[in-house]
Amino acid sequence: MTDTSHAAACPNDSSPSAHEKAAGMPLFHLGQLLATLGALELLETHELTALPFVLRHVSGDWGDICAEDRQANADALQYGYRLMSVYVISKAERLWIITEADRSSTTLLLPEEY
């Protein structure tokens, strides 16, 4: 996968991928589901729950990432690398979801917590 600092810097590409068209179908194992305090506070502040974001992530809706990171996720599905999604919560706030390469865990976190 590309350097995660790049995910925030690369231009948005909101075009739907083939995986987004098959939303709802799990593409990989999440492993243990974890969340940082910052991610939990962000969700609580906006009266959101983690489940819709996790379901989008596991079905291949990577959210607000660029074409290069979409391709990195496609490669990760095929070769077993780390997967990353970015979801816009507000104009200035993003929620990241990262599934480790070994699929042992998936973490919800804020970019500044990486």
Side-chain angles (χ1 to χ4, degrees), residues 14-34:
S14 301
S15 60
S17 70
H19 296 302
E20 288 173 317
K21 294 174 185 169
M25 185 174 162
L27 300 175
F28 54 91
H29 293 287
L30 293 169
Q32 184 177 11
L33 195 57
L34 307 166

Side-chain angles (χ1 to χ4, degrees), residues 3-83:
D3 182 326
T4 53
S5 62
H6 178 70
C10 62
N12 291 346
D13 178 7
S14 301
S15 60
S17 70
H19 296 302
E20 288 173 317
K21 294 174 185 169
M25 185 174 162
L27 300 175
F28 54 91
H29 293 287
L30 293 169
Q32 184 177 11
L33 195 57
L34 307 166
T36 64
L37 288 176
L40 294 173
E41 288 174 3
L42 175 68
L43 292 170
E44 184 178 334
T45 296
H46 292 277
E47 298 180 354
L48 299 168
T49 63
L51 184 59
F53 298 103
V54 172
L55 292 175
R56 287 177 64 186
H57 176 71
V58 77
S59 66
D61 173 355
W62 313 122
D64 197 35
I65 62 174
C66 65
E68 183 179 330
D69 287 336
R70 284 186 194 285
Q71 184 58 53
N73 278 350
D75 294 344
L77 287 172
Q78 185 173 359
Y79 301 111
Y81 306 139
R82 186 178 64 176
L83 294 152

